[in-house]
Amino acid sequence: MASSNTYRLSCSVPGHEMDVRGLASTSFPEGAFVSVSRDRTGRVWVPNMGPNRSFTEMHCMHGHTNFVSCVCIIAPNETYPRGLIATGGNDNNICVFSLDRPDPLYILKGHKNTVCTLSAGKFGTLLSGSWDTTAKVWLNDKCMMSLQGHTAAVWAVKILPEQGLMLTGSADKSIKLWKAGRCEKTYTGHEDCVRGLAVVNNTEFFSCSNDASIRRWHVDGECLQVYYGHTNYIYSISVFPNGQDFISTGEDRSIRIWKNGECAQTIRLPAQSVWCCCILDNGDIVVGASDGIIRVFTESDERIASAEDIKAFENELSQSTIDAKTGDLGDIKMEELPGREHLNEPGTRDGQTRLIKDGEMVQAYQWSVSDSHWVKIGDVVGSSGATQQTSGRVLFEGKEYDFVFTIDVNEGGPSMKLPYNVADDPWLTAHNFLEKNDLNPMFLDQVANFIIENTKGNTVGRTETGHSDPFTGSGRYVPASAGGSSASGADPFTGSGRYIPGSGPSTVAPAGVADPFTGGSAYSSNALQSTSAPTNIYFPKTDPVKFEQANATQILAKLKELNRGAPNEQKLSDDGIQKLEKLLSTVSNLNAAEKPTTEEIEILWKTAHWPEDIVFPVLDILRLAVRHPVVNEQFYSDKDGVQFCNHLLNLMGPQGKPANQMLVLRTLCNSFAGQWGQTLLMSMRETVMSQAMQLRTVNNKNIHVALATLVLNYAGCLHKVADLEGKAQCLSMVSTILEVVQDKEAVFRLLVALGTTIGNDGTARDLAQSLGVKSQINKYSTVTDPAKLGECCKLVLNQL
């Protein structure tokens, strides 16, 4: 197929009544694309088979109640073999359409402000960004998690193709990398709002910004290259299949084609704002602009527009006006400009701009290499001296508005800003302004009428000024392992003693096959060898896994020793120690008829507030005690439960003592044994799990085992209920912890938690796949020591 290596007009596609704000190429129909507009519609365009080389509207979609700002394609699956179309709008909603009906299949609600960017990933995952400063991860019609960390509007999002990595770009000038719902890295370098992102490959991406620059990044944080060429805001960027060349569009009325790191071609459009672009499978470029027209450009000689159409495009371009403040026209001094004779000299590069004086007019021409002549791109109006609002839009609090009024309520007092878009309801805007600034509602009529009076004659999308919607360790004291190691060591806090928190005789495993959680190294899979495939004895695990091993004699000896150094007001009397000794005896045997007394429980509560250097033997008693129903209810009742839980979380802080951190985690795990503890911990799930996650980087295998067990117990509770947000948090924790843990027991428990979470829940399974969990756990499928690890891994992989 013949190619000129220069992009030229292929066709202009009218149809939308207002600005075209988003474009996406589709896999079906072949060669088609989708557009969305301020006119509140989305449209599917298919290529004509005839000689006119244009596109025909195949499908029109309605569902938004305000501007439609972005679009992406959700890949085909068994249910929807032709894929789905997702659109986001100023009504704060995301509509998901099929090609079979004009109305949405379903609407995703959750954002609190404009949804301005969308990206689709594997297994039906959808990532959205909004002015509400958040990005959200959706799976089918459910919100799985919210990504919070930006301080201004999220204008760009992208899902990287592997490992479940996600990118967000914001008006706070930063880009963030997310893994399993957690921010892993923040990229800084742009000097203004980040407006667009584009994926190059698994490890690299592009960003574009209001600072008129494009940057190429490596996911490790290195900025590989910065590209300059645009002279105003850059709104969108798309990458060619070769992963090297790309296109960009912006407020300087241009689309620019970048090859080998250089701007190889600039194409001007007869519209101020070139909002969006996409690349079709055949290499053609589609752009959408503020004039409501979609234009397609091609390198192929066979798809170039007719001479008449090209002439009409050039005439339209020549009749447009250029505000000198918006572009690369420099500081214009009319008296120094040459006349038309300057056009007799050929240009030196494609897209070169020349200004000439024609009478009292200043005209701008652009050199076309393909046609070897100067093409008029418009008449220059205004003067140089650009301001922040070179685009004709006003930026306020990271968002763009048609107007930002300054309101003086009290003479001599501070002025207030009132942002407004011509599509907004002036009365609602006035109400929100008064409420935000704590002003008397009596001003409602006055403010609303002020807005109306000062915006007369401005209509949506057709304002004279181009107004736009705002899219924009064993030798010392160490916590014992879950396997009940009999090793002892010197206490590093006191320099003496042989007490090891959590140590003691192993719990007896059930008959048949040893309990994989408490059997430790005694666990064998021999009982399973008669079958060709591993039998699933591992998940779903819905009963809580507990830490029950203890050596009461050692615990009490350490308690008495440390009591001598306790503050006088907290020191226990001999009678108090005897009561704690009795309590420990009672809770060590849950089948005993005797129950803990209120006085004993109060003493335990008091000593749990010992200084953190000496509190660990008390915590060891506590983690055994909370298994008892009486203690569980007493500590986790509505009255005292939150206070108790917050106290534990304080002891578990990142700067805390490792022994305390481990014992608090074990106490939380054991708390699931009682209904009261389970109920409270479920109600505080987000807080408890978020704070526990801070311990994932602590280099202590026993903490990792306890942390994994906590996740497992939460997964067991969530298995019984339809709480997708909770399951998403579990999956996020599993994925994140797997990145750092080495201990095989911890990994095993995480695998059980994973299997429990995704078992019988297709949506959770799809989310786990999208997070890249499969690639994280594959390496454990061949582990034979312990055998349970490899067996459990294979079972989870089968689920995935």
Side-chain angles (χ1 to χ4, degrees), residues 649-786:
L649 295 179
N650 287 334
L651 289 172
M652 192 181 71
Q655 307 305 318
K657 303 293 181 181
N660 295 344
Q661 294 169 335
M662 178 200 70
L663 289 168
V664 168
L665 283 170
R666 291 184 174 185
T667 300
L668 293 171
C669 292
N670 288 0
S671 298
F672 281 90
Q675 179 183 348
W676 289 86
Q678 187 176 123
T679 300
L680 183 72
L681 289 177
M682 287 298 287
S683 70
M684 296 182 65
R685 169 182 53 79
E686 189 168 346
T687 300
V688 173
M689 294 180 80
S690 297
Q691 293 201 33
M693 274 296 289
Q694 298 180 59
L695 301 181
R696 71 189 188 279
T697 57
V698 176
N699 188 22
N700 186 308
K701 66 179 183 178
N702 300 307
I703 288 177
H704 287 166
V705 171
L707 181 58
T709 307
L710 181 65
V711 180
L712 174 53
N713 285 349
Y714 269 113
C717 290
L718 291 163
H719 181 79
K720 312 166 191 174
V721 297
D723 184 349
L724 285 174
E725 186 177 347
K727 291 182 179 181
Q729 189 175 14
C730 279
L731 291 173
S732 174
M733 288 188 69
V734 169
S735 177
T736 306
I737 299 170
L738 280 170
E739 296 283 347
V740 295
V741 297
Q742 301 293 326
D743 182 75
K744 292 180 180 179
E745 181 63 31
V747 172
F748 167 70
R749 298 189 183 204
L750 290 170
L751 290 174
V752 178
L754 178 57
T756 301
T757 303
I758 66 176
N760 301 320
D761 191 327
T763 302
R765 181 173 62 250
D766 288 346
L767 180 60
Q769 291 175 323
S770 72
L771 292 174
V773 171
K774 191 173 182 178
S775 63
Q776 289 182 289
I777 68 173
N778 262 323
K779 60 185 177 182
Y780 299 113
S781 63
T782 57
V783 174
T784 57
D785 181 22

Side-chain angles (χ1 to χ4, degrees), residues 70-72 86-88 94 115-120 126-129 157-158:
C70 54
V71 61
C72 76
T87 61
I94 301 166
V115 179
C116 51
T117 178
L118 293 168
S119 178
L126 183 66
L127 178 62
S128 61
V157 296
K158 272 292 180 284

Side-chain angles (χ1 to χ4, degrees), residues 133-205:
T133 76
T134 73
K136 294 185 183 293
V137 182
W138 309 82
L139 198 57
N140 301 322
D141 59 347
K142 304 293 183 183
C143 180
M144 307 306 296
M145 59 183 68
S146 186
L147 310 182
Q148 299 180 338
H150 285 294
T151 58
V154 177
W155 284 1
V157 296
K158 272 292 180 284
I159 299 179
L160 290 169
E162 300 294 338
Q163 307 301 327
L165 296 175
M166 299 178 178
L167 293 166
T168 57
S170 170
D172 64 12
K173 309 178 186 179
S174 75
I175 303 164
K176 293 184 181 291
L177 178 71
W178 307 81
K179 169 71 173 178
R182 294 190 160 272
C183 182
E184 298 290 323
K185 191 177 296 292
T186 298
Y187 309 84
T188 58
H190 280 298
E191 298 176 0
D192 206 335
C193 311
V194 178
R195 297 298 292 262
L197 295 167
V199 176
V200 177
N201 51 43
N202 292 341
T203 59
E204 294 181 13
F205 64 93

Side-chain angles (χ1 to χ4, degrees), residues 627-670:
R627 301 171 305 137
H628 196 286
V630 173
V631 180
N632 194 279
E633 179 178 358
Q634 185 80 17
F635 278 141
Y636 288 107
S637 65
D638 292 335
K639 179 182 176 182
D640 301 318
V642 174
Q643 181 184 358
F644 173 64
C645 193
N646 285 332
H647 176 64
L648 292 179
L649 295 179
N650 287 334
L651 289 172
M652 192 181 71
Q655 307 305 318
K657 303 293 181 181
N660 295 344
Q661 294 169 335
M662 178 200 70
L663 289 168
V664 168
L665 283 170
R666 291 184 174 185
T667 300
L668 293 171
C669 292
N670 288 0

